[in-house]
């Protein structure tokens, strides 16, 4: 049995209720975990107990640096351990931290998310490609909010192709802006999660934040901007080229998409697939590829993605 003492508040944050951190570690490491006040008790598989001790120690460093930890961080720490990147988990978190408004901090939920954040800090044009739920759009919006807060850019521009996925745009009520608004909703959701609704609305009224379909990008040169193209798998080759050539001075572009969910006419090649084939290797561009292992939604989502992939025609 391993007995270790830690700050009681730290253990309460890290393990939460019985069905959170404790049961997760027990299932994954073949151990029994319990805690009371400042005492952590670990029994069972010796190797699993040692892994648990290391993970808790790394997360304690994070807690002592002022970060509020949670059972989700245990899951991330174990994932990083299995990917061989848990030797300095606290440093990984600190280096990948995105500080938004009002002390709202965003941290990576896995090694690939950390690489994605690093790429967005390093490169002027970044492609995040992979399935839904891997944090591609959310982290890009978080980086854009950080860049605006830090005055690295003067504007945030969020765009998507307004592609009909089995539903007819023409039958939606309202003018053009109102018709395309539902397609842009996920971008608004990310903004509202990272900033106060009132702040977002104020910045949108001042044109500091712009959310628009990709067709509205044509003919523009975007300087001092953080530009995100979401759902890029539904662009055509021509649209992707048009978007990428909008990039102006002191601007950054992040392009996200899932090449398994293409809704454009099958006779046309996805602009995202095309770009990933012809642009790789260009200095200043970064490509980060996510898989179902990087999904950070409900655990069932990973299983659903794997089931669809295994049943797809070869």
């Amino acid at each position: 049995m391993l007995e270790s003492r830690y700050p009681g508040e730290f253990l309460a944050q890290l393990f939460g209720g019985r069905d959170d951190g404790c049961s997760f570690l027990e299932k994954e490491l073949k151990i029994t975990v319990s805690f009371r006040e400042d005492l952590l008790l670990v029994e069972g598989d010796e190797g699993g107990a040692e892994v648990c001790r290391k993970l808790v120690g790394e997360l304690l460093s994070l807690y002592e640096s002022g970060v509020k930890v949670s059972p989700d961080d245990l899951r991330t720490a174990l994932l990083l351990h299995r990917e061989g990147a848990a030797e300095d988990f606290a440093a990984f978190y600190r280096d990948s931290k995105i500080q938004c408004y009002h002390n709202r901090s965003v941290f990576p939920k896995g090694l690939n998310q950390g690489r994605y954040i690093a790429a967005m800090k390093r490169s002027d044009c970044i492609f995040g490609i992979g399935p839904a739920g891997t944090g591609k759009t959310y982290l890009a919006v978080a980086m854009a909010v950080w860049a605006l807060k830090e005055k690295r850019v003067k504007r945030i521009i969020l765009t998507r192709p307004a592609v009909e996925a089995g539903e007819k745009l023409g039958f939606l009520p309202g003018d053009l802006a109102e018709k395309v608004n539902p397609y842009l909703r996920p971008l608004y959701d990310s903004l509202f999660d990272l900033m106060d609704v009132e702040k977002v609305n104020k910045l949108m009224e001042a044109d500091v934040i712009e959310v628009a379909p990709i067709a509205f990008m044509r003919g523009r040169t975007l300087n001092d901007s953080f530009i995100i193209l979401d759902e890029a798998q539904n662009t055509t080759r021509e649209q992707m080229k048009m978007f990428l050539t909008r990039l102006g001075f002191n601007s950054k572009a992040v392009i996200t998409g899932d090449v398994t969910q293409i809704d454009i006419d099958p006779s046309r090649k996805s602009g995202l697939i095309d770009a990933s084939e012809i642009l790789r290797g260009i200095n200043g561009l970064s490509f980060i590829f996510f898989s179902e292992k990087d999904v950070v939604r409900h655990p069932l989502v990973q299983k659903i993605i794997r089931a669809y992939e295994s049943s797809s025609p070869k």
Side-chain angles (χ1 to χ4, degrees), residues 14-307:
L14 187 61
F15 289 101
R18 171 70 206 164
D19 293 329
D20 292 336
C22 288
S23 60
F24 168 74
L25 283 183
E26 288 178 346
K27 180 182 174 185
E28 296 293 327
L29 299 176
K30 308 295 188 266
I31 56 177
T32 301
V33 181
S34 61
F35 72 96
R36 56 177 180 271
E37 296 180 352
D38 64 347
L39 183 64
L40 179 67
L41 304 171
V42 183
E43 297 179 82
D45 179 79
E46 215 172 290
E50 181 58 23
V51 170
C52 177
R53 186 192 66 78
K54 283 184 178 177
L55 298 184
V56 174
E58 286 289 342
L59 288 163
L60 177 63
S61 299
L62 203 61
Y63 169 81
E64 289 175 339
S65 70
V67 175
K68 184 176 180 179
V69 295
S70 74
D72 281 341
D73 296 314
L74 270 176
R75 294 175 173 84
T76 303
L78 182 58
L79 177 64
L80 290 172
H81 172 80
R82 287 174 171 168
E83 292 178 336
E87 288 309 309
D88 197 352
F89 179 67
F92 171 82
Y93 251 44
R94 282 192 296 269
D95 293 346
S96 304
K97 177 181 177 181
I98 305 173
Q99 186 69 53
C100 299
Y101 287 86
H102 304 302
N103 294 320
R104 174 77 166 92
S105 298
V106 176
F107 295 95
K109 297 294 185 184
L111 189 57
N112 249 0
Q113 285 198 359
R115 288 172 177 152
Y116 184 48
I117 292 169
M120 287 191 285
K121 290 179 177 179
R122 179 182 69 246
S123 301
D124 287 335
C125 187
I126 307 92
F127 287 80
I129 302 173
T134 50
K136 305 181 303 296
T137 302
Y138 188 81
L139 290 175
V141 174
M143 279 296 296
V145 169
W146 171 82
L148 184 67
K149 179 178 78 76
E150 295 295 313
K151 296 183 170 51
R152 304 290 181 96
V153 297
K154 295 178 181 176
R155 301 185 68 204
I156 295 174
I157 299 172
L158 310 175
T159 185
R160 277 181 141 201
V163 172
E164 299 168 359
E167 294 147 0
K168 294 299 180 185
L169 191 62
F171 287 103
L172 292 172
D175 58 22
L176 178 61
E178 290 169 325
K179 285 178 189 290
V180 300
N181 197 53
Y183 293 89
L184 305 172
R185 191 74 244 169
L187 296 172
Y188 287 106
D189 290 343
S190 296
L191 278 173
F192 291 148
D193 191 54
L194 293 161
M195 302 169 69
D196 293 339
V197 173
E198 188 180 336
K199 176 102 179 156
V200 173
N201 290 333
K202 217 175 262 188
L203 292 173
M204 290 184 75
E205 285 172 15
D207 274 339
V208 173
I209 296 178
E210 178 183 348
V211 184
I214 193 171
F216 288 23
M217 299 296 109
R218 193 172 296 279
R220 302 171 66 182
T221 300
L222 304 171
N223 296 318
D224 299 307
S225 302
F226 197 115
I227 315 143
I228 299 170
L229 169 57
D230 193 34
E231 295 289 317
Q233 75 274 7
N234 288 325
T235 60
T236 63
R237 175 189 171 97
E238 295 76 18
Q239 285 176 321
M240 179 61 77
K241 181 182 175 184
M242 178 273 291
F243 173 80
L244 292 173
T245 53
R246 301 307 93 204
L247 197 62
F249 293 108
N250 191 42
S251 288
K252 191 180 291 283
V254 181
I255 299 96
T256 70
D258 177 0
V259 295
T260 69
Q261 297 194 40
I262 297 172
D263 298 314
I264 59 173
D265 190 315
S267 66
R268 309 196 73 176
K269 189 174 184 179
S270 164
L272 182 59
I273 293 176
D274 188 61
S276 69
E277 291 172 353
I278 66 175
L279 298 180
R280 256 192 275 186
I282 294 180
N283 190 33
L285 272 73
S286 293
F287 285 83
I288 304 294
F289 293 90
F290 297 89
S291 72
E292 82 280 347
K293 292 178 183 175
D294 300 305
V295 171
V296 290
R297 290 180 179 169
H298 193 287
L300 268 177
V301 176
Q302 286 188 5
K303 296 176 184 177
I304 290 167
I305 291 169
R306 281 196 295 268

